[in-house]
Each structure stands twice: as C-alpha cells, then as structure tokens.
Amino acid sequence: MAAIEVIQLSKRVADVAAAATVVSKAGELAILHDVNFNVPAATTLAIVGASGSGKSTLLGLLAGLDTPSDGTVKIDGVDIFALDEDGRAAVRKNKLGFVFQSFQLLGHLNAVENVMLPLELRGDAEARSKAERMLARVGLASRLKHYPKYLSGGEQQRVALARAFVTEPPLLLADEPTGSLDATTGEAVIKLMFELNQERASTLVLVTHDASIAARCARTITIAAGRLV
C-alpha cells in the first residue's frame, strides 16, 4: 500500500488575486488540475516547480490543511477527505509531521515546550523526556529553555525538526525547509532532516526550489501551471 495516493486532485479558487496560472471557463483560477501520483512508504519525494506553480497548495492538501475542489488524497489507504475536520486532525496527529519554511514555533513556549506540544496533545506521560532527547539529537541540548526569539534561524528550524520527528510519524511533509536560512545553515538542516528520516524509515515529501536538495530524494515530481509534468 502506498503511503500517499493522490487521485485526480484539483484546486480552484474564485479570488483573482490568488497565485494561479490557469483560468477556467467559469472564471475560476485553477491552482491544481487533475494531479495523480503515489508515494511508496519509506521513500523520499521532492516536489519542484516555479513560484506560483501550486507546490505549497499541493502539500497543504496532502496534509488535509486545505480541501480540494475535486479528487482526493489517501494516507495509508484512508481517504482523508471522506473524513470531517476532526477526523483529518486525528490523521495529522497520528501520522504526520510538518516542517514549515517560517518555523511556526510558538513564541510563548521555550524550545523544549515547543517540542513537547504534539506529545502532550497525545497525552504522552513522557513528553518532556522525549522532547529533551530529541533536542539533544538535533544538537540543542544546551538550548532547552531558550525561547524562539533568542534562537538563530538555524536553531529555530532544528527545534521545528525536533517537533516534527518527536512523535515518530510515518510521514513527514516539509515546505521549503531551508527557504529562510543562509546556504551553510540550510545545508546543515537538510543533512539533519535526511539523517532523521533515514533513522526512522519514514516517508519524506518536501517542496523545494533547490535542485541540489531535490537530487537527494529518491524521486522528483515537477508541477507547472498547476499540472504534474
């Protein structure tokens, strides 16, 4: 069974200011059109394409953070758009980790509290010890009590990686994970992300504009004008 199955997935919006490249006869903007692909378990996939091609929209649909106009996504055989929002939230909690370009750390929580959060949402009694071990794994054992505003961009992204991996999700989605980092720091973060993914034999799907990052993945797909090339 595929970890992810994307079936005739389309996304259209009426807002003329949306980042889209195709206009339908009905006057809607087609951000994605009839996208189909499968992602085997325990593999790595890069989604590439020009700015505005629909890459991040596709990733949001894979996570169930947005809803499609047509088609669907199956995660481990489960049609996530046959579920209500609570059901999709449960899939995200149990099966997905997500790494954002802008880190998305909670400013009022320190590093260890940010990493503990998804564990606490699961009711894990060992949330703190697991979070501390994960932060040590990403090289931040001495920064546990630091708040995001006192961490560098690279450190914040490592906290975000620790938060994404701490629940040991079978699927990790990453949206331009080095987009806010300088080249050297970005290289270190990417190396760490692939190491963690290999250690846990999880499935990694990442959106990137960097050809060198895409080349590290087992497979690459290209989105152009909302279509799979």
Side-chain angles (χ1 to χ4, degrees):
M1 181 185 297
I4 305 173
E5 188 176 359
V6 178
I7 305 167
Q8 296 181 316
L9 196 66
S10 296
K11 179 66 177 179
R12 297 182 299 276
V13 296
D15 184 359
V16 295
T21 53
V22 180
V23 182
S24 71
K25 292 180 181 179
E28 295 177 313
L29 297 173
I31 301 175
L32 292 171
H33 181 75
D34 197 27
V35 175
N36 295 271
F37 64 90
N38 293 338
V39 184
T43 192
T44 53
L45 171 72
I47 302 173
V48 302
S51 178
S53 60
K55 306 185 302 297
S56 293
T57 297
L58 175 57
L59 202 69
L61 289 167
L62 298 186
L65 297 171
D66 194 5
T67 55
S69 302
D70 297 298
T72 196
V73 174
K74 292 184 179 181
I75 303 293
D76 286 341
V78 175
D79 183 343
I80 63 173
F81 295 112
L83 305 173
D84 59 17
E85 180 50 43
D86 287 342
R88 289 193 292 274
V91 170
R92 287 192 292 271
K93 181 175 71 172
N94 295 319
K95 294 184 178 293
L96 300 184
F98 209 111
V99 180
F100 299 89
Q101 176 179 338
S102 55
F103 320 135
Q104 296 291 326
L105 301 179
L106 298 179
H108 65 286
L109 300 180
N110 62 30
V112 72
E113 290 167 344
N114 266 285
V115 179
M116 286 171 61
L117 187 59
L119 294 169
E120 290 179 323
L121 291 174
R122 290 184 171 190
D124 193 322
E126 299 180 9
R128 179 169 290 275
S129 60
K130 288 181 178 179
E132 289 177 351
R133 287 197 297 272
M134 194 68 230
L135 283 167
R137 174 63 186 82
V138 301
L140 293 176
S142 64
R143 311 287 274 173
L144 302 181
K145 296 183 179 180
H146 287 69
Y147 289 87
K149 66 180 179 180
Y150 298 115
L151 298 173
S152 69
E155 288 172 334
Q156 289 186 62
Q157 192 60 292
R158 281 189 280 162
V159 173
L161 284 179
R163 181 182 59 188
F165 278 104
V166 74
T167 58
E168 300 187 1
L171 173 61
L172 182 75
L173 305 177
D175 189 6
E176 297 280 10
T178 63
S180 298
L181 306 175
D182 63 75
T184 301
T185 304
E187 168 62 25
V189 165
I190 284 293
K191 183 175 183 291
L192 178 60
M193 184 171 69
F194 277 93
E195 286 176 355
L196 291 170
N197 189 70
Q198 187 173 28
E199 286 173 10
R200 287 157 176 75
S202 53
T203 304
L204 170 64
V205 178
L206 65 90
V207 163
T208 183
H209 65 278
D210 189 325
S212 65
I213 294 175
R216 300 188 187 193
C217 293
R219 181 184 173 201
T220 298
I221 63 172
T222 302
I223 302 291
R227 297 175 183 268
L228 188 64
V229 178

